[in-house]
Amino acid sequence: HWLAMIASVALAAVPAPAAAGEVFGGVFVHGVDTPLTLGGDPENGADVQLGYRANAVGRIFGMPIQPYGFAAVNTSGNTSFAAVGVSTKFGDRVYFRPGIGLAIHTGSTRNFNNPFNRKVEFGSRILFEPEVAIGVRLNPRLTAEASLVHLSHGTLFSGQNPGIDTVGIRLNLQLP
């Protein structure tokens, strides 16, 4: 089953939590129409997201690079996905977190737009997964983020690239 494969890929790619890190989870609106999706997204519902972000494995321009992995399951039977990537965080009490990763999904891999299809036709099973979040520290171990996650192949696999966006809230719990 695709969902089991996605979950195992995400979990296998995430570093073991022996070095602490943080777990995160949230609820996202699926198929939000933004300028990144080229409009008319036929999918909807909610995504339940659960993941792990490791402690920094290095720095770029003085900012920590944190590997992450997560799975997002759509509650309406639309596209679910799992992603792995890296993010960094600018700030502490209030912060901005950009990230970039790769995702595997359960949606359509067709390369054409069918106006009668009720699914996004991604054109590839593997997609880029850029994301941005704005967060706030609630206590020493807990943060909350408003996040946008985008999935697309950036026209690398075909001229068509509808993509999909999810927008939501997630809580991050720093492990002891």
Side-chain angles (χ1 to χ4, degrees):
H1 188 254
W2 276 105
L3 196 51
M5 183 182 81
I6 286 173
S8 17
V9 167
L11 291 175
V14 175
E22 62 188 8
V23 293
F24 59 87
V27 178
F28 286 67
V29 177
H30 184 90
V32 176
D33 191 16
T34 72
L36 299 173
T37 61
L38 303 181
D41 190 340
E43 294 191 2
N44 58 28
D47 288 350
V48 177
Q49 189 183 100
L50 184 61
Y52 174 77
R53 188 176 296 113
N55 284 333
V57 294
R59 293 193 172 281
I60 185 164
F61 303 116
M63 303 311 299
I65 299 170
Q66 293 179 274
Y68 64 82
F70 71 90
V73 178
N74 183 266
T75 61
S76 297
N78 288 307
T79 302
S80 294
F81 62 95
V84 294
V86 293
S87 68
T88 191
K89 189 166 89 169
F90 298 92
D92 184 52
R93 182 158 166 74
V94 175
Y95 61 88
F96 173 70
R97 181 191 304 274
I100 183 73
L102 292 175
I104 184 169
H105 65 90
T106 63
S108 171
T109 59
R110 294 182 182 183
N111 279 340
F112 58 89
N113 287 320
N114 178 347
F116 302 106
N117 191 356
R118 300 189 70 117
K119 301 269 185 192
V120 174
E121 294 168 341
F122 290 104
S124 173
R125 181 68 56 209
I126 305 293
L127 302 170
F128 294 111
E129 181 270 328
E131 62 177 68
V132 294
I134 297 174
V136 62
R137 180 162 302 285
L138 303 175
N139 68 39
R141 292 184 51 210
L142 186 65
T143 58
E145 295 177 344
S147 178
L148 167 83
V149 176
H150 177 73
L151 295 178
S152 73
H153 63 68
T155 68
L156 290 181
F157 303 111
S158 73
Q160 160 244 327
N161 182 35
I164 195 167
D165 286 334
T166 64
V167 175
I169 303 289
R170 61 184 167 206
L171 292 176
N172 308 288
L173 178 64
Q174 182 73 39
L175 298 173

